[in-house]
Amino acid sequence: MKFLGNVLSTVVGLFVFIMMLFFGIVLISVLFGGDSDEIKVKENSVIELNLESISNDYAGKFKDPLINLFSEKADVGLSDIINAIAEAKNDDKIKGISILNNVSSLGMAQSKALRDALEDFKKSGKFIVSYADVYSQKDYYLNSVSDTIYLNPVGELDFKGLSSEIMFFKDLQDKSGIKMEVIRHGKYKSAVEPFLENKMSDANREQMSGLLNSVWSSMLVEISKSRNISVEKLNQIADSLLARTPEMAKSAKLIDKIAYEDEYHNAIRKALKTEKDEDYNSVGIQDYAKKVMLSPKEEDAEDKIAIIYAQGEIQSGEGDVTIIGEGSMRRSLQEARKDENIKAIVLRIDSPGGNALTSDLIWREIENTKKVKPVVVSMGNYAASGGYYIACNANQIYAEKNTITGSIGVFGILPNFTQLSTKIGINTEVVSTNKNAAEYSPFRPLNDDFRAYTQEGVERIYSVFVNRVAKGRKMTFEQVDAIGQGRVWSGADALKIGLVDKIGGMDDALKAAASLAKIKTYSTQSFPEYDKNFKDMFAELPFAQSKESFIKEEIGTENYKVVEKIKKINARKGIQVILPYEIVIH
């Protein structure tokens, strides 16, 4: 046994030594080997705008400096991409931007923000060109900003208007014996409607139709401006599918040229005055963004504006890049509030909502912060339900026209398997000391007392929510209740009813924050910094495939999304203030 113990301790010692040696080498290479990895941008270059791996506004950073050493700047967010495009506008080495077969996972408001950045880039006189084998409707919206749009001769362009499909499960519940017990406030809080009905209610149809038409209208206005086609004509093209082939798309003036990819590259060579048989100089947008991030800056202005990113579903705990937690959010607000150099805060929200208690904790921190320095909200794709809860008390609120917001309502869903368990021969009995000692069980019918108490909780949260909005927006309870009830609004419509102050993006919100703080020059500082355990760093190393990556590889990306949805539902605790359902606009 002693011999085996000595062998084991030797093996462990060797393993620890090898790991320390490995990390020592990596650490030295990071600290002293930066020049070899420096991103070079050659003269007469084109930026390749590949957005496939970009989904969040903010890529995140971590409090642990060692974690930052290995993780920081490994990825970039959309905010970094937009900053890089602004830098490229004045970079003499950059002559234009190429958007080649770009398939992005950006939301509509993010696409709008990026499109605005590209529009500004064009003011430099530099070119933007795009090519695709297939243009989805959302990607065409982004690509329509280009000077010249190419489409493959056997490719497709999707331009038919917007739609959203909702599934209903009432019959499935009756047949399976699995019932979803629903407790809600808000006639538009339609997350629960699929479990109660077999068709869409008039109220739900009204809100969905209003949302889709508002988003579609804002898209058409911008496409109309870029392509010099009237909105009326664009609707005719969509109604009759007049762009369904490359030839029809060109005839409708939605594209400029029908060509193969090699012809597209030849056209770029010609614009750069590069020989036809030579490769032209290019740099990927993520590499260029990293170069901009790492480049030495001029002396920062002493005054700063904090940008605090709140992106993802709202849940309890620390949070991370894709989850809004009270830990990181409250800490960020407190740090920004106490920092004398930070004169104002912009809260960038991209969230469908989530946990009601967490939303209120963040709301309270904003309330405390607002007493010290101004807080301006910039809404992204979503700032709905709990996402609107944490926005409503800001000094000013900015949204894009196609931002999804509002959804001021509350609901709870309790799965119940009583009918199913009875069918398969499962019975449950309960012994307790007091009338309400037993918690809710999905294997027993929902009793009237428990339903009444839960409904009372939902009503209480709704009342608090509406009062928070009424106070923040200087409205009466009745005014908020009339536009609440869980109804979803577009940013354009939210402006009309007083839920937001102005239409605009991040730059507009920053200017407003500077104005409220009475400063003219400023730099920005991004938050949150997330607490992360050292062991989590291993997941970022090439040899350590994450559990998520492995599952995705085995079952496919689409099936993995379903698994993720189930995980999110199971993770939700307490009463929810969250968007009715995942709105997927086609």
Side-chain angles (χ1 to χ4, degrees):
M1 288 296 291
K2 186 176 180 180
F3 170 75
L4 291 175
N6 289 336
V7 170
L8 182 60
S9 62
T10 302
V11 170
V12 171
L14 282 171
F15 176 76
V16 171
F17 172 76
I18 291 170
M19 291 304 295
M20 290 178 66
L21 181 64
F22 170 76
F23 283 113
I25 294 170
V26 173
L27 185 62
I28 291 170
S29 67
V30 170
L31 292 175
F32 302 105
D35 290 340
S36 62
D37 295 327
E38 185 181 349
I39 298 164
K40 303 287 187 182
V41 179
K42 298 179 181 178
E43 297 286 344
N44 210 34
S45 287
V46 172
I47 288 178
E48 294 179 345
L49 193 70
N50 186 336
L51 303 167
E52 191 172 359
S53 62
I54 305 295
S55 58
N56 296 315
D57 289 331
Y58 177 54
K61 54 185 177 181
F62 310 95
K63 292 185 75 66
D64 188 327
L66 187 58
I67 301 297
N68 267 322
L69 183 63
F70 290 95
S71 304
E72 189 176 31
K73 299 180 182 69
D75 297 306
V76 298
L78 181 62
S79 58
D80 303 310
I81 299 294
I82 290 173
N83 290 337
I85 292 171
E87 185 75 18
K89 178 183 176 182
N90 301 310
D91 188 339
D92 292 337
K93 292 181 179 180
I94 301 298
K95 303 302 180 184
I97 293 176
S98 167
I99 311 175
L100 176 61
N101 278 321
N102 178 63
V103 179
S104 84
S105 57
L106 299 177
M108 292 302 299
Q110 288 176 310
S111 297
K112 166 75 166 83
L114 179 57
R115 200 178 187 282
D116 288 346
L118 293 172
E119 283 278 17
D120 185 63
F121 175 85
K122 286 171 64 176
K123 293 176 183 176
S124 66
K126 300 176 182 182
F127 64 80
I128 299 178
V129 291
S130 63
Y131 173 93
D133 296 323
V134 176
Y135 286 108
S136 70
Q137 200 156 232
K138 183 180 70 175
D139 289 327
Y140 178 76
Y141 165 67
L142 178 63
N143 281 264
S144 65
V145 75
S146 300
D147 300 297
T148 309
I149 302 175
Y150 291 75
L151 179 60
N152 186 293
V154 290
E156 296 177 9
L157 192 157
D158 186 24
F159 195 82
K160 59 181 184 299
L162 304 180
S163 67
S164 186
E165 184 178 70
I166 301 171
M167 298 179 70
F168 294 84
F169 310 104
K170 186 175 182 300
D171 285 350
L172 176 63
Q173 292 179 104
D174 294 339
K175 293 177 180 178
S176 66
I178 300 173
K179 184 181 179 183
M180 305 303 279
E181 298 285 2
V182 172
I183 300 157
R184 64 173 173 171
H185 182 107
K187 64 180 180 179
Y188 292 100
K189 207 63 177 171
S190 308
V192 296
E193 190 173 86
F195 304 111
L196 301 174
E197 306 290 343
N198 274 328
K199 64 178 183 178
M200 191 179 292
S201 66
D202 291 340
N204 193 14
R205 186 173 295 278
E206 177 189 354
Q207 75 164 346
M208 287 304 300
S209 178
L211 177 65
L212 291 175
N213 278 297
S214 182
V215 172
W216 177 241
S217 294
S218 64
M219 285 176 62
L220 290 187
V221 167
E222 295 191 68
I223 294 172
S224 172
K225 182 180 177 182
S226 294
R227 299 303 300 171
N228 196 25
I229 307 171
S230 71
V231 170
E232 292 75 20
K233 181 61 178 176
L234 288 170
N235 271 316
Q236 290 175 16
I237 294 169
D239 286 339
S240 301
L241 301 179
L242 298 180
R244 61 185 182 272
T245 68
E247 293 75 18
M248 294 175 77
K250 185 178 180 183
S251 177
K253 298 182 180 179
L254 292 187
I255 66 168
D256 299 292
K257 295 188 178 182
I258 300 171
Y260 286 100
E261 187 179 329
D262 59 289
E263 296 174 288
Y264 170 75
H265 290 299
N266 285 336
I268 294 177
R269 289 187 182 94
K270 185 176 180 181
L272 297 174
K273 298 180 180 178
T274 302
E275 294 297 327
K276 196 171 183 179
D277 57 348
E278 292 182 9
D279 291 334
Y280 58 84
N281 297 328
S282 64
V283 58
I285 186 60
Q286 293 193 55
D287 285 338
Y288 189 78
K290 289 175 188 176
K291 178 177 174 59
V292 170
M293 292 161 65
L294 293 167
S295 296
K297 303 290 190 299
E298 295 180 6
E299 191 67 30
D300 283 346
E302 184 176 343
D303 292 335
K304 296 181 179 181
I305 295 178
I307 303 175
I308 301 179
Y309 291 89
Q311 51 192 28
E313 192 169 307
I314 299 172
Q315 298 179 14
S316 62
E318 167 66 13
D320 60 27
V321 176
T322 58
I323 295 173
I324 303 169
E326 78 267 13
S328 57
M329 289 299 299
R330 294 175 70 189
R331 186 173 62 249
S332 297
L333 286 160
Q334 290 166 9
E335 289 176 7
R337 186 167 74 232
K338 294 173 184 176
D339 189 329
E340 293 182 357
N341 291 327
I342 293 175
K343 305 301 182 183
I345 295 165
V346 170
L347 180 63
R348 174 68 173 184
I349 301 175
D350 191 357
S351 172
N355 185 279
L357 175 58
T358 302
S359 299
D360 196 68
L361 292 172
I362 297 170
W363 173 90
R364 176 61 182 173
E365 207 63 61
I366 294 169
E367 193 74 359
N368 289 336
T369 302
K370 198 174 63 169
K371 296 173 184 175
V372 179
K373 52 192 68 173
V375 178
V376 176
V377 161
S378 169
M379 293 181 171
N381 300 317
Y382 299 89
S385 211
Y388 188 76
Y389 197 127
I390 66 174
C392 68
N393 61 333
N395 295 95
Q396 289 186 22
I397 301 176
Y398 281 76
E400 299 286 8
K401 288 183 179 179
N402 51 17
T403 295
I404 295 174
T405 188
S407 192
I408 301 166
V410 185
F411 74 90
I413 299 179
L414 301 169
N416 194 282
F417 310 126
T418 303
Q419 293 180 33
L420 174 63
S421 59
T422 301
K423 285 181 182 179
I424 60 177
I426 297 175
N427 297 295
T428 59
E429 294 286 344
V430 177
V431 178
S432 59
T433 61
N434 293 81
K435 179 181 177 182
N436 296 302
E439 295 182 344
Y440 171 77
S441 169
F443 298 101
R444 298 195 310 273
L446 180 65
N447 66 54
D448 292 339
D449 286 346
F450 186 87
R451 178 181 288 278
Y453 298 143
T454 307
Q455 184 70 49
E456 180 184 283
V458 166
E459 297 295 340
R460 181 174 63 86
I461 295 297
Y462 180 74
S463 179
V464 170
F465 193 171
V466 172
N467 276 308
R468 297 279 190 256
V469 176
K471 180 183 176 184
R473 302 305 300 163
K474 296 178 173 58
M475 301 165 73
T476 66
F477 184 98
E478 290 73 23
Q479 286 173 322
V480 177
D481 187 41
I483 57 176
Q485 300 288 326
R487 178 161 182 169
V488 177
W489 303 90
S490 69
D493 289 333
L495 177 65
K496 298 174 185 176
I497 60 175
L499 290 181
V500 306
D501 294 296
K502 293 182 180 179
I503 298 298
M506 177 70 84
D507 284 345
D508 300 296
L510 285 168
K511 290 174 184 175
S515 177
L516 289 171
K518 298 179 181 179
I519 57 175
K520 292 184 177 179
T521 59
Y522 59 87
S523 59
T524 61
Q525 184 175 345
S526 296
F527 294 85
E529 287 185 321
Y530 303 105
D531 273 342
K532 188 174 184 180
N533 295 327
F534 185 73
K535 65 179 182 179
D536 294 331
M537 184 183 68
F538 288 96
E540 309 218 1
L541 297 175
F543 58 78
Q545 185 183 33
S546 68
K547 175 180 66 177
E548 288 78 7
S549 299
F550 178 77
I551 295 172
K552 191 181 293 185
E553 186 177 296
E554 291 299 311
I555 69 175
T557 301
E558 290 303 315
N559 291 328
Y560 179 74
K561 288 179 181 178
V562 175
V563 173
E564 282 295 287
K565 289 177 185 176
I566 294 170
K567 283 174 63 180
K568 282 184 178 180
I569 291 170
N570 288 335
R572 292 172 187 164
K573 306 295 182 185
I575 294 174
Q576 301 292 304
V577 281
I578 191 167
L579 251 186
Y581 35 72
E582 184 178 1
I583 297 176
V584 180
I585 298 177
H586 302 288

